[in-house]
Amino acid sequence: MPISILKHLVINNKNTVGGAIKIHDSSPGIEFHDSIFINNSARNGGGIDCNAKSLLIKNCTFAGNKATSTNSAAAVYTSAGYLTISDSLFINNGISTDFLISVNTVANNVITDSIFLNNSVTYMVYSALSNGITANNNWWGNVVGDKSTKPKTNNNVKLTQWFFLDIDVNEQFLYTNGTSNITFSLNRYYNSESGHVVKGNFKYPDIVKLN
């Protein structure tokens, strides 16, 4: 049975590997729900370094985490088992780090329904194995002007559709000194296989509360 960890908070922690948490190979599956990892650092896995049978991250926030070695991951690094990430927020991680999330395990890992903003990394997601990760239906910070720009991943990551921030001006004219109604939404995504924009409803992550 996986071990579930709920509403866990780790701030300003530092380790050699796994800045916030290091999970060893003897561990069963691990699940993190509604947890926050802020300003943690390590040579690899600034947030989490995992070598367990499986790792599930749901409705979690990773902010300001970093890794200091080359070929390292600022937020999450896995070296065994399956990785599933959903409904989570990754913001301001990495300082010219190679990867935000790195998977060196089995194939068919999944990242979905998550937000990635202002992360200073070469690759948002890196997989050492072919077809290692499917990372569709996330918002990587794309807006209307760069909706067709593919988020930064290596070729082993399957990424064919991503949401972009859409703008709807509900006025015929915009006046300098007037008031206008402008709506920002994530209700359309770009499909790189068809080259088309498709209607969809982004599933916003819940705001993590630890009370």
Side-chain angles (χ1 to χ4, degrees):
M1 289 287 294
I3 297 172
S4 293
I5 300 174
L6 178 66
K7 294 189 176 181
H8 192 63
L9 173 65
V10 185
I11 301 176
N12 297 328
N13 206 40
K14 185 176 181 179
N15 285 315
T16 303
V17 292
I21 295 176
K22 167 62 180 176
I23 304 167
H24 295 283
D25 56 2
S26 59
S27 303
I30 304 291
E31 298 182 357
F32 288 96
H33 298 265
D34 306 313
S35 297
I36 299 176
F37 306 89
I38 299 177
N39 292 337
N40 303 290
S41 65
R43 292 176 59 189
N44 194 11
I48 296 175
D49 184 299
C50 182
N51 196 27
K53 293 179 180 178
S54 64
L55 173 61
L56 182 142
I57 297 170
K58 184 176 177 61
N59 195 36
C60 293
T61 296
F62 292 78
N65 302 287
K66 64 180 181 179
T68 58
S69 297
T70 57
N71 297 318
S72 59
V76 179
Y77 173 82
T78 63
S79 55
Y82 291 95
L83 172 67
T84 302
I85 297 175
S86 69
D87 309 289
S88 294
L89 172 64
F90 295 81
I91 184 169
N92 294 332
N93 297 284
I95 302 177
S96 300
T97 307
D98 290 309
F99 318 126
L100 179 67
I101 298 168
S102 179
V103 173
N104 292 270
T105 60
V106 296
N108 302 316
N109 302 277
V110 177
I111 301 172
T112 190
D113 298 324
S114 296
I115 293 176
F116 299 82
L117 294 174
N118 200 35
N119 297 288
S120 180
V121 294
T122 303
Y123 291 124
M124 294 288 192
V125 182
Y126 173 88
S127 173
L129 300 177
S130 178
N131 297 316
I133 307 174
T134 299
N136 287 325
N137 302 323
N138 300 287
W139 181 40
W140 307 88
N142 295 70
V143 296
V144 174
D146 67 351
K147 64 179 179 293
S148 62
T149 301
K150 186 176 181 179
K152 298 180 292 184
T153 64
N154 74 324
N155 292 332
N156 290 334
V157 177
K158 182 180 180 181
L159 177 53
T160 58
Q161 61 188 40
W162 51 88
F163 282 89
F164 61 90
L165 187 65
D166 206 1
I167 302 174
D168 185 13
V169 180
N170 302 312
E171 305 286 346
Q172 185 176 1
F173 301 101
L174 297 178
Y175 298 96
T176 303
N177 297 319
T179 300
S180 301
N181 294 319
I182 301 176
T183 302
F184 296 88
S185 63
L186 293 171
N187 58 14
R188 294 196 297 171
Y189 62 83
Y190 180 81
N191 186 294
S192 62
E193 293 181 321
S194 66
H196 295 156
V197 171
V198 182
K199 288 185 177 181
N201 291 310
F202 183 75
K203 184 182 178 182
Y204 292 89
D206 294 331
I207 298 174
V208 176
K209 296 180 180 180
L210 297 178
N211 55 1

